[in-house]
Amino acid sequence: MKRSKKTYRFVIANDNTADLYLYASIVTACNHTVIEFAKNGKELIALAEKHQPDIILCDLIMPKMNGIEACSQIKKISPNTVCIITSAFAEIKNCYK
């Protein structure tokens, strides 16, 4: 299988700084570009509108707005942006205590 040489532009959102840098190191190790970081959902929306990234990698649970709500709004602003939502929780029921 032939690999694509296309590089993607990412915005990464997570309120945990260690996770931000972990994801950024993986993205850059795969020869993609991290445009910016967001620490909450509202900040993520503003960055998505400003940069129109190819991919957003965001945490499910963040301050001010969760990842699902933020990505729902981002898809209206930037329909071609792919949103990938991550969580440290093993089960969804643990996300909304």
Side-chain angles (χ1 to χ4, degrees):
M1 177 172 35
K2 188 176 180 181
R3 286 190 177 196
S4 170
K5 293 191 180 201
K6 178 172 173 50
T7 59
Y8 294 96
R9 298 171 316 111
F10 281 72
V11 170
I12 301 174
N14 199 306
D15 57 327
N16 181 311
T17 303
D19 287 345
L20 283 174
Y21 291 109
L22 172 64
Y23 294 141
S25 68
I26 294 167
V27 167
T28 56
C30 294
N31 296 317
H32 300 294
T33 303
V34 177
I35 302 168
E36 283 200 63
F37 297 117
K39 291 285 224 167
N40 63 65
K42 290 192 180 219
E43 196 176 296
L44 175 59
I45 292 169
L47 291 175
E49 188 169 23
K50 177 180 177 184
H51 296 292
Q52 303 279 310
D54 299 308
I55 301 172
I56 288 174
L57 187 58
C58 77
D59 192 17
L60 175 62
I61 305 300
M62 293 185 293
K64 299 187 182 178
M65 183 181 294
N66 73 43
I68 293 172
E69 293 168 334
C71 285
S72 177
Q73 289 191 27
I74 289 164
K75 292 304 276 183
K76 294 174 188 172
I77 298 165
S78 182
N80 294 325
T81 297
V82 173
C83 292
I84 301 170
I85 299 173
T86 65
S87 178
F89 293 103
E91 296 182 34
I92 194 73
K93 67 182 179 181
N94 295 327
C95 295
Y96 296 102
K97 287 187 177 183

